[in-house]
Amino acid sequence: GAVVSQHPSWVICKSGTSVKIECRSLDFQATTMFWYRQFPKQSLMLMATSNEGSKATYEQGVEKDKFLINHASLTLSTLTVTSAHPEDSSFYICSARDGGRFTSEQYFGPGTRLTVT
Amino acid sequence: GEDVEQSLFLSVREGDSSVINCTYTDSSSTYLYWYKQEPGAGLQLLTYIFSNMDMKQDQRLTVLLNKKDKHLSLRIADTQTGDSAIYFCAESKDTGNQFYFGTGTSLTVIP
């Protein structure tokens, strides 16, 4: 079946530093990947949609200069949280859409828990 | 944006049926999903239904869709302690790729 991995699974960083999170589709080509964030006991909020080889589309209220998304290949998208602050602490989940299928199904990664101290 | 609402908590006894409800506002939704999230983990797709369907059954899971009322429900038969988790409904359109998630329902199964 379709598998999406994320790395790292958890990370602790100091305020002001940058953190990169990777999202990989392991056995399919993901033409589109999505990044979500989830605060404790809350739902997932879509942050941005990235298509391979083009700029990401950010949801309203998400700072594109703070959350840098790169989708350089059909199997890898990265989210870089720049100049992280404690309020950026969250659970970040990526998902990928299989470009070879005709359904809207997305395959979700296991998530990355970011803690900014 | 689209609003997808769920009740926050549900407790049931082991062996009983659980019914988790979801309402949405976008009548153009084409796909409606149910996801399960265990503590500290990502989302697991349980089932999905197309908007032209009223019902879908998959083993212990039954999904009912009332498109007129924009109401979706997930029934879990013979609920087990391993079913304790947060359940999210989600919707997406036919031409778009964005998913909009509900607020999540935390299901607790009492032994």
Side-chain angles (χ1 to χ4, degrees):
Chain A
V3 178
V4 176
S5 70
Q6 283 184 240
H7 177 81
S9 53
W10 59 270
V11 57
I12 302 172
C13 71
K14 290 187 185 296
S15 189
T17 61
S18 294
V19 174
K20 180 185 283 189
I21 303 169
E22 293 185 348
C23 176
R24 292 183 186 272
S25 56
L26 298 186
D27 49 3
F28 66 97
Q29 292 187 329
T31 51
T32 304
M33 286 185 170
F34 305 87
W35 287 96
Y36 297 84
R37 66 186 297 183
Q38 183 183 31
F39 291 106
K41 300 188 190 304
Q42 294 188 26
S43 188
L44 285 80
M45 299 299 295
L46 179 66
M47 297 175 67
T49 302
S50 75
N51 292 296
E52 185 263 338
S54 62
K55 288 185 179 180
T57 303
Y58 290 81
E59 294 296 298
Q60 193 173 4
V62 178
E63 299 175 59
K64 62 180 180 181
D65 294 330
K66 180 169 185 60
F67 299 99
L68 302 178
I69 292 171
N70 185 288
H71 192 165
S73 78
L74 285 171
T75 59
L76 173 65
S77 176
T78 60
L79 167 68
T80 302
V81 183
T82 61
S83 187
H85 287 96
E87 58 264 30
D88 298 324
S89 298
S90 188
F91 194 51
Y92 292 87
I93 300 177
C94 73
S95 69
R97 182 168 180 266
D98 187 338
R101 293 166 60 93
F102 291 97
T103 70
S104 272
E105 186 171 353
Q106 294 180 23
Y107 302 98
F108 286 83
T112 296
R113 186 164 302 283
L114 169 64
T115 302
V116 185
T117 60
Chain B
E2 287 74 1
D3 286 328
V4 185
E5 300 281 341
Q6 297 176 239
S7 52
L8 291 179
F9 302 100
L10 176 66
S11 291
V12 298
R13 293 204 173 276
E14 189 174 17
D16 288 349
S17 293
S18 309
V19 179
I20 303 170
N21 295 302
C22 171
T23 58
Y24 58 98
T25 58
D26 190 349
S27 58
S28 64
S29 300
T30 301
Y31 302 89
L32 296 133
Y33 308 82
W34 283 104
Y35 283 87
K36 177 183 180 182
Q37 185 182 36
E38 298 188 29
L43 285 95
Q44 173 194 356
L45 176 66
L46 291 177
T47 186
Y48 66 92
I49 189 169
F50 295 109
S51 62
N52 61 357
M53 298 169 65
D54 298 323
M55 185 183 87
K56 181 179 180 182
Q57 186 160 2
D58 184 2
Q59 299 183 337
R60 292 191 297 124
L61 305 178
T62 302
V63 178
L64 293 177
L65 175 61
N66 182 327
K67 198 172 180 183
K68 174 175 171 290
D69 294 339
K70 301 189 191 68
H71 182 267
L72 181 74
S73 68
L74 173 70
R75 179 177 180 271
I76 306 173
D78 187 26
T79 313
Q80 303 297 308
T81 54
D83 295 325
S84 292
I86 299 176
Y87 290 80
F88 292 96
C89 64
E91 58 96 359
S92 70
K93 292 181 177 47
D94 191 23
T95 56
N97 293 321
Q98 291 94 337
F99 274 36
Y100 294 95
F101 284 86
T103 44
T105 298
S106 178
L107 173 65
T108 301
V109 182
I110 304 164

